[in-house]
Amino acid sequence: MTGPALAQDGTFIQLEAQPTTAAAITRAQVYDATQDNVLGFNLGGRWNAVVIGPFATRDQATAALRVLRQSGIAPDDAFLTDGERFAEQFYPAAGATQTEATPPAAPDAPATDVVESVVDLPAAPADETVQEARVAEQALTRSEKQDLQIALQWAGYYDSAIDGAFGRGTRSAMEAWQLANGYDPTGVLTTLQRDVLTTAYNAVLDGMNLQLIRDDAAGIAVQIPTGVVSFTEYEPPFARFGPKSDALDAQVLLISQQGDQNRLFGLYEILQTLAIVPTDGDRQRGDDRFEINAVGPQVETYVMARLSDGQIKGFALVWPAGDTARFSRIRDEMIASFATTEGVLDPALARPDEDQAIDLVAGLEVRKPRLSQAGFYISDTGTVLTAATTLDSCTEITLNGSDAATLIASDAALGLAVLEPAQPLAPQAVAAFQTQVPRLQSEIAVAGYPFGGVLPAPTLTFGRLSDIRGLNGEEDIKRLALAAEPGDAGGPVFDNGGAVLGMLLPRATGAGQVLPADVSFLVDSETIIGFLDTAGIAAQITDSLAFMPPETLTLLAADNTVLVDCW
């Protein structure tokens, strides 16, 4: 043996290369369990080599490679290398001493002597020899072999095709599993080891009692976890299976309805509004199907639906967050078993009753925003002015319930914020800010959403201008005689000619101070214009003092006012 050697000194046997360091380390550990001088080097890119060496001479390396191939330890495509491409060493740990590999024997020595001096054949497992394990493996059906690949994939050791063919990828996965579970890494699972692997794979479903359910009313057959859910009711287009107990809050929905592509796309959009479908996660929608993988702090939800012959059918699985192993297994079993039969749910199955509510869709609660308030268009592309409140803490902001928007400017002291839609909009009306000083006691109107998003259009509330200053003489605030609701905050305050005098401020909630119900305040147009100018936004202005009938003003407000939701 010599002292520490550089990677480039001598000859190495490169056993294999892996695209990730983690995978290469796992493979190096497998070889290291039976062989000496196993090393791992990065190859200067994303590939990582697992090697044995260095050998003092190329002849010694050639003899060792022949023995390793004959014993089945080295793959057929293993080869000799001088190590010139080797970069950083990752196995063993950085700084570990490398030694020159022991030569197998003299070049003219019999092959059997080389085997005895260099290669340690893996020990047979206690329950079966390697040969007995191979014989037992050959008796497996293709389906049983595929099941083993699925179990190895679930355990995190296999990432190739589920084809029932035990090639190099499957053998490597078996070796890695054996090494991680304290077995000799032979690459052939014994009967006992197969039982351990499949038992662990199936243990996650203990108590779930997966049963094939055939619902003739919905025209669907699928396996569902009957151990934790049971049929609740029909609420077309859903057949609902709710939790059996408080121990595990799971749900299954069978989806069944007549429809075309428009209805399929509409169902896809409606599902996004439900509380059981979190906003994070992947979504995929094609011409005749969609799939939703939603992840939230409370639940994980999977939804799939397909359109075929004028019928939309699918299912949703709703599961408590943090139990991903069971959720994934049950989801996969449901996908694999899902089948359709004739018929769809009859809408008449659900009769009107006292439990109907506008915030329910087929009996399921609609996702609700943290905060709803008003805003109004200030540009032809849909830029919106609204009250600042707590918009900077929103995870999502939407306009009129569907258009995503981002906060691009705000001033907490003034209480003003500007929102930009993700996609340009084309508003029917844009605010024109009044530059004339308004007359005291003149009629005004504020447009807002006092009932949140319950009504499809803004509500107009009429009042009077009580003072052109705030209670403490503030020049940028005007006092109104108007009973406003929280959902009106951020809305435009119109004069009786349709020009915008300012924006309604949220009602003050300071401790020890309770104002009369009919006292409200606005940020005046002069202050807003200055704020927008600083933000680089041009405001439309007017000095017209024309009169507009209430009916016309109501139509203008509907075109100009926006529902702002903070999620």
Side-chain angles (χ1 to χ4, degrees):
M1 293 295 182
T2 66
L6 296 175
Q8 291 80 2
D9 293 342
T11 302
F12 297 81
I13 299 173
Q14 181 166 321
L15 299 168
E16 58 183 82
Q18 293 290 337
T20 67
T21 303
I25 289 175
T26 299
R27 297 298 300 143
Q29 291 173 334
V30 170
Y31 287 112
D32 205 13
T34 61
Q35 305 302 311
D36 295 329
N37 303 93
V38 176
L39 304 171
F41 295 96
N42 180 262
L43 295 177
R46 75 185 188 96
W47 288 96
N48 305 276
V50 178
V51 305
I52 292 179
F55 294 86
T57 68
R58 190 173 183 85
D59 287 342
Q60 292 175 350
T62 299
L65 177 58
R66 182 173 60 252
V67 173
L68 291 170
R69 282 176 174 167
Q70 289 173 349
S71 66
I73 293 174
D76 292 339
D77 57 356
F79 60 91
L80 303 184
T81 176
D82 57 11
E84 288 186 355
R85 292 184 58 201
F86 294 172
E88 180 182 358
Q89 178 181 335
F90 60 83
Y91 187 88
T97 300
Q98 302 171 24
T99 59
E100 185 177 280
T102 304
D108 56 349
T112 54
D113 293 338
V114 176
V115 171
E116 292 174 357
S117 62
V118 176
V119 179
D120 297 325
L121 290 175
D127 59 317
E128 287 177 339
T129 65
V130 175
Q131 184 59 34
E132 289 171 338
R134 289 188 185 277
V135 172
E137 183 184 87
Q138 290 172 0
L140 298 176
T141 65
R142 181 179 179 182
S143 176
E144 290 171 331
K145 291 181 178 180
Q146 288 175 321
D147 289 342
L148 283 177
Q149 289 176 324
I150 291 171
L152 287 167
Q153 185 181 67
W154 173 81
Y157 297 98
Y158 183 68
D159 60 359
S160 299
I162 306 299
D163 53 11
F166 286 0
R168 180 176 174 183
T170 305
R171 295 297 178 196
S172 296
M174 289 179 177
E175 288 179 353
W177 181 87
Q178 288 172 321
L179 184 67
N181 288 272
Y183 300 107
D184 292 328
T186 65
V188 183
L189 298 182
T190 67
T191 301
L192 172 65
Q193 292 166 6
R194 292 198 302 270
D195 287 343
V196 171
L197 173 62
T198 54
T199 297
Y201 173 67
N202 291 319
V204 73
L205 295 179
D206 287 349
M208 297 296 100
N209 194 23
L210 279 173
Q211 296 287 336
L212 184 66
I213 298 297
R214 180 187 175 109
D215 190 316
D216 291 331
I220 292 175
V222 65
Q223 287 196 50
I224 69 170
T226 60
V228 292
V229 300
S230 60
F231 178 75
T232 303
E233 60 186 333
Y234 289 116
E235 285 279 0
F238 305 124
R240 298 176 58 191
F241 293 76
K244 278 189 170 181
S245 69
D246 296 335
L248 201 154
D249 189 15
Q251 295 185 59
V252 170
L253 306 175
L254 304 185
I255 302 170
S256 175
Q257 67 177 133
Q258 294 282 359
D260 54 14
Q261 187 183 73
N262 289 334
R263 199 160 191 181
L264 177 74
F265 289 177
L267 175 65
Y268 174 79
E269 296 297 336
I270 289 173
L271 285 168
Q272 315 292 327
T273 70
L274 299 182
I276 60 172
V277 182
T279 56
D280 292 337
D282 295 332
R283 269 84 165 152
Q284 296 182 0
R285 192 187 74 178
D287 291 339
D288 60 354
R289 65 190 60 210
F290 66 75
E291 191 173 42
I292 300 173
N293 290 277
V295 182
Q298 304 299 324
V299 296
E300 291 183 76
T301 298
Y302 173 80
V303 188
M304 62 81 73
R306 304 168 186 164
L307 170 63
S308 178
D309 296 329
Q311 297 182 348
I312 299 170
K313 294 187 179 181
F315 72 86
L317 174 64
V318 185
W319 206 259
D323 191 14
T324 302
R326 279 198 293 187
F327 171 77
S328 300
R329 282 293 311 279
I330 293 171
R331 176 200 61 200
D332 293 346
E333 295 289 344
M334 293 184 70
I335 293 173
S337 64
F338 184 81
T340 59
T341 59
E342 287 299 319
V344 294
L345 283 180
D346 183 353
L349 282 173
R351 299 181 181 278
D353 57 28
E354 295 297 328
D355 292 330
Q356 297 181 93
I358 195 169
D359 56 356
L360 298 178
V361 173
L364 299 173
E365 185 179 358
V366 174
R367 189 168 63 99
K368 297 178 183 178
R370 272 198 308 120
L371 170 73
S372 292
Q373 63 186 35
F376 55 101
Y377 294 117
I378 57 173
S379 80
D380 293 330
T381 57
T383 306
V384 170
L385 181 72
T386 188
T389 55
T390 58
L391 292 181
D392 56 351
S393 65
C394 301
T395 57
E396 179 186 359
I397 301 173
T398 56
L399 307 178
N400 290 331
S402 58
D403 299 308
T406 55
L407 181 66
I408 62 171
S410 66
D411 188 318
L414 297 176
L416 300 172
V418 178
L419 305 176
E420 187 74 28
Q423 300 294 330
L425 304 176
Q428 297 294 315
V430 174
F433 292 98
Q434 179 62 263
T435 58
Q436 294 277 17
V437 177
R439 186 183 299 276
L440 284 175
Q441 299 302 315
S442 59
E443 292 184 348
I444 55 91
V446 62
Y449 290 87
F451 308 106
V454 173
L455 298 180
T459 298
L460 211 58
T461 304
F462 293 89
R464 290 186 176 275
L465 179 65
S466 296
D467 197 341
I468 60 172
R469 296 174 182 82
L471 292 175
N472 297 314
E474 299 94 336
E475 295 290 341
D476 56 349
I477 292 177
K478 291 177 171 49
R479 178 162 57 92
L480 308 175
L482 179 139
E485 298 292 336
D488 294 323
V493 180
F494 297 101
D495 64 15
N496 56 15
V500 174
L501 295 176
M503 184 201 77
L504 187 72
L505 287 169
R507 190 169 181 81
T509 57
Q513 184 184 62
V514 179
L515 296 176
D518 63 349
V519 174
S520 300
F521 299 91
L522 65 80
V523 181
D524 66 23
S525 58
E526 181 181 357
T527 302
I528 293 173
I529 293 169
F531 164 71
L532 295 178
D533 184 62
T534 301
I537 301 170
Q540 295 189 24
I541 60 174
T542 182
D543 58 2
S544 172
L545 296 175
F547 172 77
M548 183 177 289
E551 297 82 3
T552 306
L553 185 58
T554 299
L555 295 175
L556 173 65
D559 292 338
N560 180 230
T561 311
V562 182
L563 174 64
V564 177
D565 286 325
C566 168
W567 302 88

